[in-house]
Amino acid sequence: MNVIIPDRFSNRVITHAIASTLLEDYPLVMAVQGPSGDGKSYQLAKSLEIAGFQPIALSGAALSGNHEGDSTNAFKDLYERAQSYQLVNDEWPALILEDFELSPAGQREDSKYTVNSQLLTGFLMNLSEKVSSTNMGVTKRYPVFLTGNDFTILHKPLMRPGRMDIFTWVPTPEEQSLMILSALQKRVPSVCIDDARRLQTEFPKLPIATFAAALNDCLAKFVYDHLRANENIRMSSIRREFNVERIQVSLNDVRVALHRRDQSEFTPGCFI
């Protein structure tokens, strides 16, 4: 099964990863922003793997800390972990900070600009321009990617052209169709791009994550039906009977699950 990623996304990510690794005067950091559920994190990791990079991820929330310097130290540890990985495995790492607007660097109305915010922002600004200026003891350039829904809440000098590359990912209908096909192809037999286009046309406002979630709904129903048919079933027997790689669902079942989700049956506060 081939991973299907829109060329516009993979080309932009791979170009940045290679250019930022090789060119000292090229921004080291790329911010990938866009609507929630449209495949940023998944496609980012897969694009890097295609180019021979090993993604090493950390959530933006994990950069929070109660003491001065905690946020910067957490990022330094991640960068140094990348160096250790590269030395041991002889593979080039790429760092991903997911949901970066949830880190101390994101300034929301209900948050204050703390010492950790200042230190983390300053550290990233220095890193973007010159790795050796961060006093980490690491001089190699490992590409850094930030993902999030809205980076307008970040410190503006951090985002300036030449210091950070900004990539806003809002997929076109055709790109959404490719991503839908990628989400369904493992479990839906003989699904093709025309099927994916029809689903995209039928559910144009649903994010890509919803299509994957609808497929999971179908898999959950498959498991539930099996349990209903076998009252005394135990986990040991399930493992013997199930060939998980061969579980398949129909395109029509996926469509039914999408209709249920489109009708807000799965929104918070609704129970099934």
Side-chain angles (χ1 to χ4, degrees):
M1 182 185 69
N2 295 324
V3 176
I4 303 172
I5 301 173
D7 289 341
R8 183 167 65 93
F9 189 98
S10 60
N11 289 344
R12 185 71 182 271
V13 167
I14 292 172
T15 298
H16 176 83
I18 294 175
S20 63
T21 300
L22 297 178
L23 305 175
E24 289 287 341
D25 53 349
Y26 192 89
L28 190 66
V29 180
M30 169 182 270
V32 184
Q33 65 177 356
S36 177
D38 273 344
K40 296 183 297 296
S41 295
Y42 173 81
Q43 294 187 139
L44 174 58
K46 292 300 181 182
S47 296
L48 291 169
E49 290 171 1
I50 289 170
F53 288 85
Q54 174 60 45
I56 299 177
L58 186 71
S59 70
L63 293 174
S64 299
N66 296 321
H67 302 94
E68 180 178 320
D70 283 353
S71 299
T72 305
N73 290 335
F75 186 85
K76 286 181 178 179
D77 289 344
L78 184 70
Y79 205 94
E80 291 168 355
R81 181 151 58 94
Q83 176 180 249
S84 298
Y85 178 89
Q86 190 256 322
L87 293 174
V88 172
N89 298 280
D90 195 27
E91 295 180 7
W92 212 260
L95 282 65
I96 302 175
L97 300 179
E98 299 176 339
D99 300 318
F100 188 70
E101 72 269 37
L102 300 181
S103 75
Q107 296 306 298
R108 296 166 296 279
E109 293 181 359
D110 60 347
S111 65
K112 297 180 179 180
Y113 197 56
T114 64
V115 172
N116 269 330
S117 304
Q118 296 172 334
L119 291 174
L120 181 59
T121 299
F123 180 83
L124 275 171
M125 289 170 64
N126 290 335
L127 183 70
S128 296
E129 295 179 343
K130 193 173 183 180
V131 175
S132 60
S133 68
T134 58
N135 297 319
M136 282 193 295
V138 181
T139 57
K140 291 184 178 179
R141 292 173 62 88
Y142 302 124
V144 178
F145 293 87
L146 318 178
T147 68
N149 302 136
D150 179 15
F151 285 149
T152 60
I153 63 174
L154 297 185
H155 191 49
K156 296 301 182 291
L158 176 62
M159 309 288 286
R160 81 176 191 196
R163 178 172 282 157
M164 182 184 292
D165 190 8
I166 312 295
F167 177 29
T168 300
W169 174 242
V170 180
T172 65
E174 184 62 20
E175 289 169 337
Q176 288 177 327
S177 298
L178 288 172
M179 295 160 68
I180 292 169
L181 177 60
S182 182
L184 301 182
Q185 62 177 343
K186 180 179 179 179
R187 298 295 186 183
V188 182
S190 303
V191 66
C192 64
I193 187 61
D194 287 338
D195 296 325
R197 289 182 181 126
R198 281 190 285 269
L199 285 177
Q200 192 282 326
T201 301
E202 192 172 351
F203 304 97
K205 296 182 179 180
L206 294 182
I208 301 304
T210 307
F211 291 84
L215 179 61
N216 287 335
D217 294 342
C218 297
L219 296 175
K221 184 178 184 302
F222 181 94
V223 173
Y224 176 76
D225 290 344
H226 189 80
L227 294 177
R228 286 287 300 272
N230 298 270
E231 294 182 1
N232 298 318
I233 199 165
R234 299 177 64 85
M235 188 61 201
S236 56
S237 60
I238 292 177
R239 289 178 61 85
R240 289 194 300 269
E241 295 174 15
F242 267 50
N243 185 333
V244 294
E245 294 301 319
R246 293 186 179 181
I247 297 176
Q248 295 183 334
V249 300
S250 72
L251 189 62
N252 186 61
D253 285 343
V254 173
R255 181 175 281 105
V256 170
L258 285 166
H259 274 295
R260 294 178 67 197
R261 287 185 171 269
D262 194 32
Q263 293 167 4
S264 301
E265 186 172 344
F266 288 83
T267 55
C270 295
F271 297 90
I272 57 173

